[in-house]
């Protein structure tokens, strides 16, 4: 099916404007399909040929101003339309199919009670699978939506809803929206409601999660209220839409989606067991991020997909700023360093790196490929650099100008920069060229002879001015600190203690760069890092080393040494949990040679045990330590078996089903338990989370038959949801004896790409990434991967394989640079 090109979008927008959308949906027609009736009220500037977007199971009829159109002309989601100058009404009636891949109108069954739940996710071009439309971001219109639903269902949408005659819900007409923001959630959802500053607030979840919703709603509503107050104070424009509902839905592909007035959030955020502070922070960040989108993305939308950064970079930045300045999560920038910036740096290292803004997006699908850590994390870092460049007061004034000038319309990079130039009196074309329009991450290093240098990647030369700081430490104490702006390839340093044990560039993490530590600083880290009290500096060390190891500049064994030395005294949840996950999931599992992995894993187990013994029982840190032990220990009889049976559990983990599935997965991959024990555990946890845990555990069973069954389930079962497929992939490659899954390395490249025949691009790209045989670090795997990329692949799968192959190449380079001793 063709993806809308930018040229087509420009031509269609020149010809047509949509003045109103009437959408009537009937969801009471069974679990497979629903009925869709759309009236598109449009105005044509002249005579011309164009098309309406619609992707039906069956197209029943279509008309233009009451005259039937030939529905047989529908081809690849496009219905031809010939218009004359003036106003018209297009009416389209169709039967649509529910999806199970998280796109369009997704329908899921809750195994806890057998109830069905529906939610829409229309980004990037899935709207035509729900209703006929002119599907492009710069064609906005008010929406009047009605929905017929089963009698016990509740319907939530962009506008507040009321149920009328015949069980039909009428949703209030919206402000002008881009098609991809139209939202609909329906099912026996339960709610917690509130009101703040004249705005009705609602939080919704599946009926089986009513207890979790009640437990977590007070904290989430407090973040919601504080975010509203903060954004009202800095944007100068009140929340511009209807009620504010946040709906926690099952099997959602992303973290959340910023539909105006109806934010959709993955319901795994309604934690059902023990939860760490960093996880609560992540959820709070998501809530604030999606609210920031009400202004950046919803009130002012990108004119075309190459300006997605105007949505995501700003929501990313504003959410962290809001958490720090308006909530209890004042450590949000530390969490950003550990979780978000590390994601973005990984995207920069990949061959698919791209500029923050202005990336070529000749069609919608190509833009989707750039929806990554660069658009989010790097974009947020660039905004921090912009503020250093023009000042915060000018930045906020520019924001208010931009939002005010383009309310309920669309904006571009030029519009945004124009507002910033007017507010600051500063010309930004050169700054923009280096930071927004050129890809790549610079390295920053300090020469102890007295200079600091920057170096842009050879493939992406750029002149980026960096505003940052350098700090020095001896015995954990800061001995000097200097803020500077580096706008040349090198500059002299004065006033810094360059004889200190550790010299740390970008210690405050103000800029986007890889800090390269000198040999003396690297040697001092095992002693210095545990003593540094500045959590932000510690996070910079961990993420900088993550980048340096990936670039084969630093031996991965140093990270294991640091884990053993520094994590036992770490006090920040985000640093402990993220560093621990990186060590176990990447450094030990992939970068170290196979015969060193068990010993390194045992060292991390001792770290977990040490922290578990010393942390306050039931604390967030104790929880993360217990999870680290569960992921790494070989103590089957002393830890895995009794904990899985609910015996001798750390405080706070009694009855934690999710923790139990971690343990059962570890026992399964070792062959200690099998299908019977998994079925028994699932019988006690008949929930969506339990179902996913069981799929992962079953895929980990280390027998030839179990692997064959899991692979067939993964690659041929068209009834599996996106979440179920990822769960299977998560357990498949885990056996201690890798020869058991070695035959599937080649099969991955032959069996996964064809899944595009039934799985949406976004969902399949996630499955392709999770299923990639990353544990097989060999030239043979690389050869198979390169051969696959030489063929014809769907764009999303290609991007996933390109990025995973890049990580494979990093692992091979690391092993060559730092071979096993002896």
């Amino acid at each position: 099916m063709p993806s809308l090109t930018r040229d087509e979008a420009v031509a269609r927008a020149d010809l047509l404007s949509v003045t109103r959308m009437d959408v009537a949906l009937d969801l009471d027609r069974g679990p497979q399909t629903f009925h869709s009736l759309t009236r598109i009220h449009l105005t044509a500037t002249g005579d011309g040929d164009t098309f309406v977007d619609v992707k039906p199971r069956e197209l029943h009829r279509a008309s233009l101003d009451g005259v039937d159109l030939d529905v047989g002309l529908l081809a690849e989601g496009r219905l031809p339309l010939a218009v004359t100058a003036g106003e018209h009404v297009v009416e389209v009636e169709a039967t649509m199919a529910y999806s199970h891949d998280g796109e369009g109108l997704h329908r899921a069954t809750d195994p806890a009670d057998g109830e069905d739940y529906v939610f829409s996710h229309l980004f990037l071009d899935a709207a035509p699978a729900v209703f006929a439309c002119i599907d492009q971001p710069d064609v906005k219109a008010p929406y009047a939506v009605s929905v017929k639903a089963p009698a016990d269902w509740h319907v939530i949408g962009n506008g507040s809803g009321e149920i009328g005659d015949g069980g039909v819900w009428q949703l209030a007409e919206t402000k002008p929206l881009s098609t991809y923001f139209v939202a609909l959630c329906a099912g026996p959802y339960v709610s917690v409601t509130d009101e703040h500053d004249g705005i009705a607030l609602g939080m919704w979840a599946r009926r089986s999660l009513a207890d979790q919703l009640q437990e977590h709603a007070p904290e989430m509503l407090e973040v919601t209220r504080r975010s509203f107050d903060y954004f009202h104070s800095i944007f100068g424009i009140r929340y511009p839409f209807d009620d504010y509902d946040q709906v926690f839905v099952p099997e959602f592909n992303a973290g959340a989606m910023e539909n105006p007035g109806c934010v959709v959030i993955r319901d795994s955020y309604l934690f059902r067991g023990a939860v760490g502070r960093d996880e609560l922070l992540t959820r709070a960040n998501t809530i604030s991020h999606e609210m920031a989108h009400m202004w950046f993305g919803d009130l002012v939308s990108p004119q075309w997909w190459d300006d997605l950064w105007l949505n995501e970079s700003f929501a990313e930045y504003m959410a962290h700023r809001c958490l720090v300045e308006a909530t209890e999560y004042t450590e949000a920038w530390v969490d950003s360093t550990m979780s978000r910036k590390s994601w973005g740096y990984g995207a920069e290292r990949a061959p698919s790196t791209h500029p923050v803004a202005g990336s070529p997006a000749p069609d919608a699908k190509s833009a989707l490929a750039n929806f990554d850590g660069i658009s989010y994390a790097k974009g947020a870092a660039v905004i921090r650099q912009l503020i250093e460049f023009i000042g915060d007061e000018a930045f906020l004034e520019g924001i208010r100008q931009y939002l005010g000038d383009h309310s309920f319309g669309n904006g571009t990079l030029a519009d945004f920069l124009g507002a910033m130039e007017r507010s600051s009196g500063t010309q930004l074309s050169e700054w923009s060229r280096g930071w927004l329009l050129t890809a790549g991450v610079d390295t920053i290093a300090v020469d102890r002879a007295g200079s600091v240098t920057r170096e842009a990647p050879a493939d992406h030369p750029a002149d980026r001015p960096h505003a940052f700081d350098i700090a020095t430490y001896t015995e954990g104490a800061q001995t000097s600190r200097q803020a500077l702006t580096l706008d040349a390839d090198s500059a002299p340093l004065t006033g810094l203690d360059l004889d200190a044990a550790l010299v740390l560039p970008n210690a405050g993490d103000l800029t986007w760069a890889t800090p390269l530590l000198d040999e003396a600083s690297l040697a001092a880290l095992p002693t210095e890092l545990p003593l540094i009290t500045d959590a932000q500096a510690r996070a910079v060390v961990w993420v900088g080393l993550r980048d340096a190891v990936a670039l084969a500049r630093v031996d991965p064994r140093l990270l294991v040494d640091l884990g053993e030395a520094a994590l036992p005294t770490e006090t920040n949840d985000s640093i402990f949990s993220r560093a621990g996950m990186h060590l176990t999931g990447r450094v030990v599992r992939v970068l170290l040679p196979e015969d060193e992995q068990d010993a390194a894993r045992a060292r991390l187990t001792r770290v977990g045990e040490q922290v578990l013994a010393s942390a306050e029982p039931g604390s967030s840190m104790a929880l993360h330590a217990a999870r680290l032990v569960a992921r790494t220990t070989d103590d089957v009889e002393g830890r895995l078996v009794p904990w899985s049976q609910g015996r001798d559990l750390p405080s706070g983990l009694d009855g934690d089903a999710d923790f139990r599935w971690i343990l059962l997965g570890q026992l399964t991959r070792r062959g200690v338990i099998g299908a019977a024990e998994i079925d028994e555990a699932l019988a006690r946890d008949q929930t969506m989370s339990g179902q996913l845990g069981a799929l992962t555990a079953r895929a980990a069973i280390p027998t030839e038959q179990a692997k064959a069954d899991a692979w067939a389930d993964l690659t041929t079962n068209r009834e599996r949801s996106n979440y179920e497929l990822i769960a299977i992939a998560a357990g498949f490659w885990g056996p201690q004896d890798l020869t058991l899954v070695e035959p599937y390395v080649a099969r991955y490249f032959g069996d996964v790409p064809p899944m595009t025949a039934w799985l949406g691009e976004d969902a399949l790209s996630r499955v392709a990434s999770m299923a990639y045989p990353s544990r097989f670090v060999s030239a043979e795997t690389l050869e198979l991967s390169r051969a696959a990329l030489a063929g014809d692949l769907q764009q999303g799968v290609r991007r996933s394989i390109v990025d995973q192959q890049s990580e494979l190449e990093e692992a091979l380079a690391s092993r060559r640079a730092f071979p096993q001793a002896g």
Side-chain angles (χ1 to χ4, degrees):
M1 189 168 291
S3 181
L4 182 71
T5 69
R6 181 168 194 160
D7 290 344
E8 289 173 329
V10 169
R12 191 161 60 167
D14 285 344
L15 178 64
L16 300 178
S17 60
V18 178
T19 56
R20 176 184 167 91
M21 291 284 292
D22 292 305
V23 178
L25 303 177
D26 184 353
L27 309 185
D28 199 14
R29 298 196 175 194
Q32 302 302 322
T33 61
F34 59 96
H35 182 264
S36 174
L37 175 63
T38 309
R39 292 184 185 88
I40 307 172
H41 301 261
L42 56 82
T43 301
T45 58
D47 300 350
D49 294 323
T50 184
F51 58 91
V52 170
D53 300 293
V54 59
K55 302 173 184 177
R57 172 71 64 85
E58 182 181 357
L59 182 57
H60 301 300
R61 64 180 181 86
S63 65
L64 173 63
D65 301 327
V67 178
D68 286 345
L69 300 173
D70 185 354
V71 297
L73 296 178
L74 176 69
E76 298 186 299
R78 297 179 173 187
L79 181 65
L81 191 66
V83 296
T84 57
E87 297 181 354
H88 301 280
V89 177
V90 177
E91 185 168 291
V92 178
E93 183 179 6
T95 294
M96 303 292 195
Y98 290 110
S99 80
H100 299 287
D101 61 7
E103 301 175 33
L105 198 59
H106 182 98
R107 186 166 180 145
T109 302
D110 187 346
D113 55 16
E115 297 283 4
D116 278 11
Y117 293 86
V118 166
F119 67 86
S120 64
H121 185 52
L122 306 190
F123 183 83
L124 180 104
D125 58 358
V130 179
F131 51 84
C133 55
I134 307 299
D135 189 29
Q136 55 192 76
D138 59 336
V139 176
K140 287 187 165 186
Y143 279 77
V145 178
S146 65
V147 181
K148 187 176 188 302
D152 61 339
W153 282 22
H154 201 99
V155 174
I156 311 113
N158 303 105
S160 55
E162 293 183 358
I163 190 168
D165 295 340
V168 177
W169 290 77
Q170 300 290 339
L171 303 183
E173 184 172 319
T174 72
K175 299 290 188 179
L177 303 179
S178 299
T179 47
Y180 76 99
F181 285 135
V182 177
L184 173 67
C185 300
Y189 287 99
V190 296
S191 67
V192 172
T193 60
D194 198 0
E195 184 271 342
H196 180 67
D197 195 15
I199 305 167
L201 307 178
M203 289 195 158
W204 304 80
R206 286 180 281 135
R207 187 180 294 165
S208 65
L209 293 176
D211 290 345
Q212 287 82 1
L213 181 63
Q214 290 288 338
E215 176 187 354
H216 291 282
E219 198 268 347
M220 296 189 296
L221 285 168
E222 179 64 9
V223 172
T224 300
R225 289 188 288 264
R226 288 180 177 270
S227 297
F228 265 129
D229 290 344
Y230 184 73
F231 293 142
H232 283 158
S233 74
I234 66 171
F235 292 155
I237 298 175
R238 278 187 56 80
Y239 170 63
F241 300 103
D242 202 346
D243 299 348
Y244 195 74
D245 290 305
Q246 297 173 81
V247 189
F248 293 85
V249 303
E251 301 180 344
F252 192 62
N253 280 343
M257 179 63 196
E258 64 269 19
N259 310 308
C262 185
V263 174
V264 172
I265 307 174
R266 62 165 59 201
D267 63 11
S268 55
Y269 278 138
L270 293 177
F271 306 107
R272 62 178 191 153
V275 56
R277 179 176 171 84
D278 61 313
E279 293 168 305
L280 294 175
L281 188 158
T282 297
R283 183 177 69 189
N285 183 272
T286 299
I287 289 171
S288 192
H289 178 110
E290 302 311 319
M291 188 184 293
H293 272 309
M294 298 299 121
W295 289 265
F296 286 96
D298 297 7
L299 177 64
V300 182
S301 307
Q303 186 167 315
W304 183 244
W305 302 115
D306 55 352
D307 276 325
L308 264 176
W309 79 283
L310 286 169
N311 291 14
E312 298 305 341
S313 300
F314 282 86
E316 180 86 1
Y317 168 76
M318 288 297 177
H320 285 89
R321 176 171 175 154
C322 176
L323 290 193
V324 170
E325 297 188 11
T327 77
E328 67 173 279
Y329 297 109
T330 55
E331 73 274 32
W333 285 119
V334 176
D335 182 78
S336 172
T337 301
M338 293 302 299
S339 62
R340 310 296 285 181
K341 292 188 80 170
S342 61
W343 171 42
Y345 287 140
E348 281 273 52
R349 295 193 305 268
S352 55
T353 186
H354 57 86
V356 172
S359 297
D363 58 40
K365 291 296 187 186
S366 62
L368 182 61
N370 291 334
F371 203 67
D372 56 17
I374 294 172
S375 300
Y376 286 77
K378 183 180 181 180
V382 169
I383 291 171
R384 296 185 82 180
Q385 285 294 296
L386 175 62
I387 293 170
E388 293 293 325
F389 194 67
I390 67 173
D392 194 56
E393 185 176 342
F395 170 73
L396 292 178
E397 176 58 30
I399 289 297
R400 290 188 281 267
Q401 286 185 25
Y402 171 75
L403 294 174
D405 289 347
H406 301 282
S407 290
F408 300 110
N410 300 85
T412 64
L413 170 61
D415 295 329
F416 171 77
L417 291 178
M420 290 294 152
E421 289 179 340
R422 289 190 297 275
S423 67
S424 66
T426 303
Q427 203 276 336
L428 293 172
S429 59
E430 289 300 316
W431 182 92
S432 173
R433 185 173 296 111
W435 276 114
L436 291 174
L437 301 178
T438 307
V441 55
D442 297 347
T443 57
I444 295 177
V446 173
D447 183 337
R448 290 191 182 238
S451 65
V452 58
T453 61
R454 71 172 187 189
E455 183 178 358
D459 292 344
H460 303 284
D463 182 10
R464 283 180 277 260
H466 291 268
F468 65 104
D469 57 2
I470 302 170
T472 63
Y473 303 88
T474 297
E475 296 181 356
Q478 180 178 299
T479 61
S480 64
R481 196 178 196 105
Q482 180 177 330
L484 69 154
T485 296
L486 182 62
D487 54 8
D489 290 340
S490 66
L493 291 173
T494 58
L496 276 173
D497 177 15
L498 297 181
D499 293 323
L502 170 63
V503 178
L504 181 59
N506 197 29
D509 202 19
L510 293 176
T511 194
W512 181 262
T514 299
L516 297 182
L517 301 185
D518 62 276
E519 291 300 323
S521 293
L522 288 172
L525 277 177
T527 301
E528 291 295 323
L529 188 59
L531 300 175
I532 295 174
T533 58
D534 181 355
Q536 186 64 77
R538 298 196 304 274
V540 167
V541 169
W542 277 110
V543 173
L545 288 176
R546 180 174 182 157
D547 229 27
V549 165
L551 296 170
R553 292 175 179 261
V554 169
D555 191 332
R557 297 171 184 86
L558 173 61
L559 267 69
V560 180
D561 293 342
L562 286 180
E564 192 170 44
L567 290 185
T569 59
E570 182 55 62
T571 57
N572 181 277
D573 283 23
S574 297
I575 296 175
F576 184 91
S577 63
R578 301 289 180 172
M581 290 293 289
H582 180 239
L583 285 167
T584 57
R586 178 67 177 166
V587 175
V588 175
R589 189 172 186 260
V590 176
L591 299 181
L592 292 184
E594 284 83 354
D595 54 5
E596 294 184 34
Q597 293 178 7
D598 287 345
R601 199 174 291 111
R603 293 170 68 186
L604 295 177
T605 300
R606 289 194 291 271
V607 169
E609 293 282 11
Q610 183 178 345
V611 173
L612 185 59
S614 62
E616 180 182 348
S619 67
S620 178
M621 195 61 72
L623 166 64
H624 288 307
R627 290 174 178 169
L628 178 59
V629 171
R631 292 196 309 269
T632 59
T633 187
D634 281 326
D635 187 359
V636 172
E637 297 303 323
R639 279 292 186 242
L640 294 178
V641 169
W643 280 4
S644 72
Q645 295 173 348
R647 294 185 285 113
D648 305 323
L649 278 168
S651 177
L653 286 171
D654 292 325
D656 190 321
D658 292 332
F659 183 68
R660 186 163 185 258
W661 281 113
I662 295 174
L663 301 163
L664 293 174
Q666 293 296 332
L667 290 169
T668 301
R669 77 178 188 86
R670 289 171 168 81
V672 177
I673 63 173
E677 291 86 353
I678 295 170
D679 290 342
E680 180 184 343
L682 181 58
R684 297 201 301 271
D685 186 18
Q686 286 284 358
T687 64
M688 280 193 170
S689 296
Q691 196 171 59
L692 297 175
L695 284 171
T696 298
R698 194 169 284 113
I701 295 174
T703 66
E704 289 186 5
Q705 187 60 53
K707 292 301 179 186
D709 291 344
W711 192 256
D713 200 12
L714 173 67
T715 58
T716 66
N717 188 345
R718 300 190 177 204
E719 300 304 313
R720 288 292 186 198
S721 73
N722 49 331
Y723 269 46
E724 290 171 334
L725 294 172
I726 289 172
I728 294 168
F732 185 81
W733 299 103
Q736 292 177 306
D737 179 8
L738 283 178
T739 61
L740 192 62
V741 290
E742 190 171 9
Y744 294 92
V745 175
R747 290 190 61 177
Y748 167 89
F749 298 102
D751 295 350
V752 170
M755 293 168 65
T756 185
W758 65 90
L759 203 59
E761 185 162 353
D762 187 28
L764 182 54
S765 66
R766 296 170 192 270
V767 173
S769 293
M770 180 62 75
Y772 192 88
S774 58
R775 288 187 73 191
F776 288 84
V777 182
S778 68
E780 292 75 18
T781 306
L782 181 58
E783 183 179 353
L784 288 167
S785 191
R786 287 173 173 170
L789 290 175
D792 184 21
L793 296 175
Q794 179 215 51
Q795 195 166 15
V797 173
R798 175 175 296 279
R799 172 66 180 265
S800 295
I801 293 178
V802 164
D803 289 349
Q804 293 300 312
Q805 179 181 295
S806 175
E807 293 194 359
L808 171 62
E809 290 169 334
E810 289 176 356
L812 288 167
S814 178
R815 290 191 183 187
R816 287 193 300 270
F818 303 101
Q820 186 174 10

